[in-house]
């Protein structure tokens, strides 16, 4: 199960992978060098062919990915052409890969080898058999298709079969080598490019979804509130094993989409923005105008299509406020120092640090009410937006003075359901795991025993 803490971990952490040594091969590179940002920090062939670095520095040449149109239909094979040109080059090579745009560590679809291309599997660039999705695949030139002695440019053509189910935008990445045919990596020109395709065609989910529980995405308590982040748990929301996180390519008018991976959620008859989908969980944001009380929630698959499938109506309690902290382990509050280091026990979050007495820290949650001005669900917060309702914050049993609550509002640059509090840890706080409680509208944070480490 993907718990809500993953959202904060994605905000707080990044993984840097050192680039391995790369070499030139007439049968294709032995490392991922297509320029994917998450592959060896975006490594391309220029890591070895350095004479005219960086890539694309010689404007006389170019690399193109050519398709009939910038869309794909799930499961339907599409013809891909990779074309490279340069007036002086006499030998040619390329590497090509397809990735899910919302998570470029995951491959999207498979390639069919032919007389001019070979297919390699995974970041280890192994020869087939491949493990299958989400392991990425790479299409590369064969030795014969380097076309030694050919001037002007060359083109490769091959088939790509996209995933059988809609996975959102798919990005193609390619790196090409316009070589001088000198037998070394010197005096070769490297080009990179990418294009993104949007999904079209049928959604083909067939099972009726079953809702088991609905609750706050941070605490999983059974109460939610307008504009809060929420989660619904159950069965058959998506194809087993497939996950889908919303990315900017899914945005509609600059906001999170109201359907994702052929799944929609209706709350009190209104479509809710969706941030994440898997077979047993959907994360969404409660629409801002949702009334209080017991309200209906419906899961809809293939929304708006002839094969639309609706689950049975479930209900959830909506209050004006349903405050809760996001946490890393159900107890350690998702928090940062003022210079954005993760506050956590290193045993829980590698690299985590303790806060210090007198420090300003940032803690994250949802369900604390609307901001001023009001952002609608799914919108991205453009700047500081204080909460409409006053909050009371206690740290280690000490109620903070107004001067020690530097900010209480929506998290700028994030979805409007994510809220942050910039607070100063009292000098009187004990060393160890210190509890924090925030109260708004007479309701206190629901995550029992929520703490941060203090030294």
């Amino acid at each position: 199960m993907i718990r809500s803490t993953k959202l904060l971990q994605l905000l707080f952490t990044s993984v840097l992978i050192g680039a391995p040594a790369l070499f030139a091969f007439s049968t294709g590179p032995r490392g991922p060098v297509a320029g994917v940002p998450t592959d060896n920090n975006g490594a391309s062939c220029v890591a070895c062919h350095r004479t005219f670095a960086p890539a694309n520095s010689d404007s006389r040449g170019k690399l193109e990915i050519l398709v009939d149109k910038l869309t794909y239909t799930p499961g339907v094979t599409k013809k891909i052409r990779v074309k490279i040109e340069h007036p002086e080059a006499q030998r040619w090579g390329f590497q090509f890969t397809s990735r899910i745009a919302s998570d470029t560590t995951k491959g999207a679809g498979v390639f069919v080898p032919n007389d001019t291309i070979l297919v390699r599997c995974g970041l280890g660039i192994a020869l087939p058999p491949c493990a299958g999705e989400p392991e990425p695949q790479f299409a590369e030139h064969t030795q014969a298709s380097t076309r030694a002695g050919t001037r002007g440019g060359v083109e490769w053509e091959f088939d790509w079969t996209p995933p059988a189910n809609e996975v959102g935008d798919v990005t193609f990445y390619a790196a090409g080598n316009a070589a001088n045919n000198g037998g070394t990596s010197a005096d070769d020109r490297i080009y990179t490019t990418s294009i993104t395709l949007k999904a079209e065609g049928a959604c083909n989910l067939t099972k009726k979804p079953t809702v088991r529980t609905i609750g706050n995405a941070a605490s999983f308590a059974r109460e939610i509130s307008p504009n809060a982040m929420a989660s619904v748990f159950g069965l058959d929301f998506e194809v087993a094993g497939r996950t889908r996180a919303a990315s900017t390519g899914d945005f509609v008018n600059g906001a999170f989409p109201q359907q994702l991976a052929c799944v929609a959620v209706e709350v009190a008859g209104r479509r809710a923005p969706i941030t994440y989908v898997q077979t047993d969980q959907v994360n969404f944001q409660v629409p801002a105008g949702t009334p209080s009380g017991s309200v209906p929630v419906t899961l809809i698959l293939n929304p708006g299509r002839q094969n639309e499938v609706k689950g049975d109506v479930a209900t959830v309690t909506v209050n004006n406020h349903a405050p809760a902290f996001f946490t890393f382990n159900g107890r350690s509050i998702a928090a940062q120092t003022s210079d954005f280091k993760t506050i956590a026990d290193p045993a829980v979050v590698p690299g985590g640090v303790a806060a210090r007495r007198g420090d300003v820290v940032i803690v994250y949650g949802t369900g604390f009410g609307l901001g001023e001005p009001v952002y609608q669900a799914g919108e991205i917060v453009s700047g500081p937006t204080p909460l409409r309702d006053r909050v009371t914050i206690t740290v280690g049993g000490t109620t903070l003075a107004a001067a020690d609550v530097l900010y209480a509002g929506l998290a700028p640059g994030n979805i409007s359901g994510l809220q942050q509090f910039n607070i100063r840890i009292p000098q009187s706080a004990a060393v160890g795991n210190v509890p924090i409680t925030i109260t708004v509208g007479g309701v206190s944070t629901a995550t029992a025993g929520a703490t941060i480490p203090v030294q």
Side-chain angles (χ1 to χ4, degrees):
M1 180 184 295
I2 301 295
R3 299 184 70 82
S4 62
T5 53
K6 185 173 183 180
L7 168 67
L8 276 300
Q9 288 172 315
L10 290 174
L11 290 174
F12 296 162
T13 62
S14 62
V15 178
L16 299 178
I17 303 174
L22 302 175
F23 300 91
F25 291 95
S26 60
T27 54
R30 300 294 197 269
V33 292
V36 181
T38 49
D39 290 0
N40 300 326
N41 298 325
S44 74
C45 304
V46 79
C48 187
H49 302 264
R50 302 185 181 93
T51 303
F52 297 98
N56 306 310
S57 60
D58 186 341
S59 62
R60 294 177 299 164
K62 64 179 178 180
L63 177 69
E64 296 178 280
I65 301 171
L66 304 174
V67 293
D68 56 349
K69 55 182 178 177
L70 294 176
T71 60
Y72 72 92
T73 300
V76 177
T77 299
K78 190 178 187 71
K79 195 73 70 177
I80 308 295
R81 291 185 295 143
V82 175
K83 183 178 181 181
I84 186 169
E85 300 174 342
H86 191 277
E88 296 179 4
Q90 299 183 54
R91 200 170 190 184
W92 316 87
F94 83 104
Q95 187 182 86
F96 179 97
T97 188
S98 56
R99 303 298 176 89
I100 296 175
S102 61
D103 184 355
T104 56
T105 65
K106 295 179 179 178
V110 298
F111 306 119
V112 180
N114 58 38
D115 291 341
T116 64
I117 75 148
L118 55 83
V119 176
R120 293 186 181 273
C121 313
L123 298 183
I125 312 295
L127 291 172
C130 300
E133 297 172 297
E135 176 187 70
Q137 292 190 3
F138 296 84
E140 302 178 349
H141 58 271
T142 62
Q143 184 172 11
S145 71
T146 61
R147 298 177 177 92
T150 301
R151 293 180 177 273
V154 300
E155 184 177 297
W156 297 267
E157 183 176 274
F158 51 95
D159 289 335
W160 169 68
T161 302
N165 293 282
E166 187 269 335
V167 293
D169 290 0
V170 170
T171 300
F172 293 159
Y173 297 90
N177 184 359
N180 69 346
N181 198 27
T184 73
S185 61
D187 297 319
D188 299 336
R189 294 163 174 86
I190 301 303
Y191 297 91
T192 59
T193 191
S194 65
I195 61 172
T196 297
L197 278 60
K198 291 189 173 295
E200 67 175 6
C203 289
N204 55 8
L205 300 173
T206 58
K207 295 182 179 180
K208 183 178 178 179
T210 300
V211 172
R212 287 182 169 173
T213 61
I214 307 166
N216 187 298
S219 66
F220 302 103
R222 300 299 176 85
E223 293 82 27
I224 59 177
S225 63
N227 260 16
M229 303 305 300
S231 297
V232 53
F233 299 95
L235 299 172
D236 300 323
F237 299 160
E238 181 55 89
V239 175
R242 188 177 300 280
T243 63
R244 181 86 149 77
S247 67
T248 53
D250 300 303
F251 284 12
V252 177
N253 297 323
F256 277 78
Q258 294 183 351
Q259 62 174 278
L260 181 69
C262 302
V263 177
V265 178
E266 283 189 354
V267 180
R270 298 176 60 191
R271 290 286 173 90
I274 298 178
T275 62
Y276 179 83
V277 172
Q278 66 179 39
T279 188
D280 58 355
Q281 178 175 350
V282 175
N283 294 345
F284 64 97
Q285 187 177 3
V286 183
T290 301
S292 297
S294 179
V295 302
V297 176
T298 306
L299 258 290
I300 305 171
L301 309 185
N302 315 318
R305 296 166 172 82
Q306 289 185 343
N307 62 337
E308 180 177 278
V309 181
K310 286 189 175 183
D312 293 334
V313 176
T315 59
V316 66
T317 299
V318 177
N319 298 321
N320 289 333
H321 304 94
F325 293 119
F326 286 102
T327 67
F328 292 122
N329 61 354
R331 296 179 65 86
S332 184
I333 298 170
Q336 293 177 303
T337 64
S338 58
D339 56 354
F340 304 108
K341 295 176 182 176
T342 302
I343 297 174
D345 183 336
V348 175
V349 180
V353 301
R356 295 176 300 181
R357 288 171 286 191
D359 280 356
V360 173
V361 302
I362 309 167
V363 298
Y364 293 90
T366 193
F368 294 88
L370 303 177
E372 188 64 59
V374 174
Y375 277 84
Q376 296 302 310
E379 291 184 331
I380 305 300
V381 179
S382 61
T385 305
L387 291 176
R388 176 179 289 182
D389 300 317
R390 182 178 177 274
V391 299
T392 300
I393 303 177
T394 63
V395 178
T398 298
T399 300
L400 297 186
D404 291 325
V405 180
L406 285 72
Y407 180 74
L410 311 190
N414 291 281
I415 192 169
S416 57
L418 181 64
Q419 295 158 332
Q420 75 174 63
F421 302 85
N422 299 6
I423 61 176
R424 191 179 309 280
I425 302 298
Q427 292 289 350
S428 60
V431 172
N433 293 322
V434 174
I436 298 177
T437 302
I438 301 180
T439 302
V440 59
V443 184
S444 298
T445 43
T447 308
T451 65
I452 65 169
V454 174
Q455 66 180 19

